[in-house]
Amino acid sequence: MDNLIIPQPLKQGDKVVFVSPAGNVKSEFVEKAAELLRERGWDVSIAPHALGKYGTYSGTDSERFADLSAALADPDIKAIFCSRGGYGVVHLLERLDLLPLRSNPKWLIGYSDISALHALLNRHDIASIHAPMAKHLSTFDAEDYYSQALFGILEGNMPEYTLEPHPLNRPGTVSGQLIGGNLAVLADLIATPFDIFEPGAILFIEDIAEPIYKTERILYQLKLSGALGRLGGLIVGQFTDYKPDTEGTTMESMIAEIVKDYSYPVAFNVPVGHVDENLPLVESAPVTLSVTPDSVVISQKSAYTPEF
């Protein structure tokens, strides 16, 4: 983390842009979210192909790359909001990887398939924000806790969350680099230049509509490769839209069984993922995870002291 770049906080009047690097999105979600950000005091634009439609995507590979690469290269744009996830980001990674990303760092915000972009920025030692996107911003008002937490990070206030305990939690306190996101997306990047799994890192995971056996298969891959055992800690977010298996096993109990031989702290039922209660987290930045019988504290407060 010695070379980590944490983008500068946003100020009133700063330019931000919505892009759609993967799936197509309902225009009303982006337009309402853009209005909310304007009310926050930012100068908001929508990339040329962000509201487009090309099959399940917002545009062709070239169109989506053009929008995102232009936003990344524009020195006046201080934050890039991804409108939604959906498959497609992986098409862009090789070309994005060739850009001089560290010469003009800025915040990138999103989750789900946007985990692939977080992995790209992690490779270049640039922090980014795993957080709600256009649908959430347009559905909830400006006082929504999770939107407010995102705005706080963008304005220079690193997060600290205190959460309720869970019966499967394993106690302990550890500090390290925070990595993670959508487990299926991250698994597909293993053994590529965008593989995020590093010894000592604190991993957070979430997923949607993945059967227990598929998630278990990914975790066994990580276990057999040694990556799971080398973690500093594990944050288990929300695994949604799945059914318990025929033996009644839940996703959480399966994960607890997989990691039972490791000594690092583990926190379950953390509100991160494809849910309305989606806590923003700063990817690639330092974090302290403290798990006790009474609470879970996820703190990134020490990661950044803004210079105004």
Side-chain angles (χ1 to χ4, degrees):
M1 289 185 286
D2 291 344
N3 295 320
L4 180 68
I5 295 175
I6 296 182
Q8 288 294 305
L10 269 60
K11 305 182 297 296
Q12 291 286 300
D14 275 348
K15 291 185 177 182
V16 305
V17 63
F18 276 94
V19 301
S20 299
N24 59 63
V25 63
K26 292 182 178 180
S27 59
E28 58 264 34
F29 289 158
V30 178
E31 289 161 355
K32 290 180 180 178
E35 186 57 35
L36 181 71
L37 299 186
R38 291 187 185 105
E39 292 172 0
R40 191 78 186 181
W42 300 322
D43 182 356
V44 186
S45 62
I46 299 172
H49 304 99
L51 304 182
K53 184 175 175 62
Y54 181 77
T56 61
Y57 308 116
S58 66
T60 65
D61 290 359
S62 295
E63 289 170 339
R64 290 180 286 125
F65 174 76
D67 281 0
L68 186 50
S69 60
L72 289 165
D74 188 338
D76 292 328
I77 290 176
K78 304 303 181 183
I80 300 172
F81 286 82
C82 296
S83 69
R84 61 157 295 179
Y87 177 73
V89 171
V90 70
H91 301 157
L92 313 179
L93 289 183
E94 287 182 297
R95 282 179 285 175
L96 292 170
D97 191 42
L98 299 176
L99 300 177
L101 299 174
R102 289 178 62 85
S103 67
N104 187 22
K106 60 201 65 187
W107 286 115
L108 182 134
I109 302 102
Y111 74 103
S112 190
D113 200 64
I114 306 306
S115 295
L117 291 181
H118 294 308
L120 166 74
L121 294 174
N122 176 269
R123 168 170 160 79
H124 289 265
D125 293 318
I126 302 170
S128 55
I129 308 175
H130 185 280
M133 298 181 285
K135 182 178 180 180
H136 183 102
L137 294 172
S138 66
T139 302
F140 297 91
D141 63 32
E143 300 308 311
D144 170 72
Y145 176 81
Y146 304 92
S147 299
Q148 284 292 316
L150 169 58
F151 299 156
I153 295 170
L154 289 169
E155 292 168 353
N157 300 305
M158 298 298 276
E160 180 172 281
Y161 306 118
T162 300
L163 310 171
E164 294 295 319
H166 188 275
L168 293 174
N169 283 358
R170 186 162 60 213
T173 298
V174 64
S175 296
Q177 184 182 41
L178 183 67
I179 59 171
N182 184 268
L183 184 60
V185 172
L186 298 177
D188 287 341
L189 298 176
I190 292 172
T192 75
F194 312 100
D195 188 333
I196 68 167
F197 294 95
E198 292 288 340
I202 298 171
L203 173 69
F204 72 93
I205 54 175
E206 62 85 25
D207 221 320
I208 183 170
E210 291 289 349
I212 291 176
Y213 80 90
K214 287 190 176 181
T215 302
E216 184 183 54
R217 183 165 60 196
I218 294 171
L219 293 175
Y220 259 104
Q221 179 187 19
L222 293 172
K223 180 171 183 162
L224 294 172
S225 71
L228 200 60
R230 291 192 292 266
L231 293 176
L234 179 64
I235 296 170
V236 182
Q238 301 299 300
F239 285 76
T240 55
D241 292 357
Y242 80 93
K243 296 179 180 179
D245 65 19
T246 54
E247 287 76 33
T249 301
T250 65
M251 192 72 76
E252 289 75 15
S253 60
M254 179 275 291
I255 295 172
E257 179 67 19
I258 291 281
V259 301
K260 68 179 182 180
D261 294 331
Y262 307 131
S263 60
Y264 51 69
V266 182
F268 283 87
N269 197 37
V270 174
V272 171
H274 289 72
V275 289
D276 292 339
E277 298 79 17
N278 187 10
L279 290 176
L281 295 170
V282 184
E283 299 252 15
S284 304
V287 66
T288 296
L289 171 65
S290 179
V291 182
T292 71
D294 300 319
S295 68
V296 171
V297 177
I298 300 170
S299 178
Q300 297 190 282
K301 278 188 174 292
S302 62
Y304 182 43
T305 302
E307 298 177 1
F308 294 103

